[in-house]
Amino acid sequence: LHGMVFGQRWDGPPEEVPPAFRTAALEDAQDRLDAWRFMRAAREETESAPAFDQSLLSDPHTRVRLARRDGALVGICAARRVTDAWRIGGLSVTPNFRRYGIGRFLLCDLMDHAAHDGLGVIIKVSAAQEQIVQWTRELGFYTYRTWADYRRVPTT
């Protein structure tokens, strides 16, 4: 057993989207290859890998929003529409811009987009990432599903 994973979900109307400071400029990704490179680099800095691979990130049905500060790319939120929600496949902010509210701004932007379409937002979070689980709960997410994450141990 490698650990447990929580499926966190948010459903609500636009007026229930939590407030967020506009701590960056948000834009739709025009160059999906650059967005993929950014997400891959962010993966190397964290314990969890993005759920999307390059083909999903490049798919035009994937919503990819970028956060920039002074023209520099500092954050990304990639999500795909599933039946009744947007499923996040990558949410990251560069280490030197964390704790400025950029991740919250990206996530609340997606929540607002989803709410206006009558959809929810889903994100999977490792139980070991207690700070992120707490953060999503503070934003109104609830655990709707739990998975056991088993990994094969190489034999010698």
Side-chain angles (χ1 to χ4, degrees):
L1 178 65
H2 185 72
M4 300 299 289
V5 177
F6 296 132
Q8 300 287 94
R9 184 178 175 108
W10 177 85
D11 294 287
E15 58 272 8
E16 289 182 13
V17 174
F21 293 112
R22 299 192 181 279
T23 53
L26 299 187
E27 63 189 49
D28 291 325
Q30 301 304 313
D31 186 336
R32 299 292 179 102
L33 184 56
D34 277 349
W36 172 247
R37 287 184 187 126
F38 180 83
M39 218 159 76
R40 252 188 43 211
R43 172 187 179 182
E44 294 170 4
E45 299 165 0
T46 63
E47 177 181 313
S48 60
F52 292 172
D53 61 14
Q54 186 176 358
S55 65
L56 282 178
L57 196 71
S58 297
D59 187 308
H61 295 101
T62 300
R63 183 178 195 264
V64 182
R65 297 281 283 168
L66 304 175
R68 294 189 185 274
R69 294 262 315 233
D70 299 321
L73 181 57
V74 297
I76 187 169
C77 180
R80 276 184 75 76
R81 172 117 183 241
V82 293
T83 311
D84 62 346
W86 285 91
R87 181 175 59 93
I88 296 174
L91 176 63
S92 184
V93 175
T94 56
N96 53 332
F97 283 96
R98 292 183 184 149
R99 304 241 176 244
Y100 287 95
I102 295 169
R104 179 185 179 113
F105 188 25
L106 283 163
L107 185 54
C108 289
D109 175 67
L110 178 61
M111 293 165 73
D112 186 61
H113 178 76
H116 278 91
D117 289 339
L119 301 170
V121 176
I122 298 168
I123 187 169
K124 289 183 180 177
V125 182
S126 167
Q129 297 173 306
E130 293 176 31
Q131 198 171 20
I132 296 173
V133 172
Q134 183 60 37
W135 177 64
T136 57
R137 285 184 181 150
E138 288 170 3
L139 292 174
F141 284 74
Y142 61 92
T143 301
Y144 77 97
R145 190 168 181 187
T146 305
W147 293 268
D149 180 14
Y150 288 97
R151 305 230 175 133
R152 177 173 274 195
V153 177
T155 57
T156 54

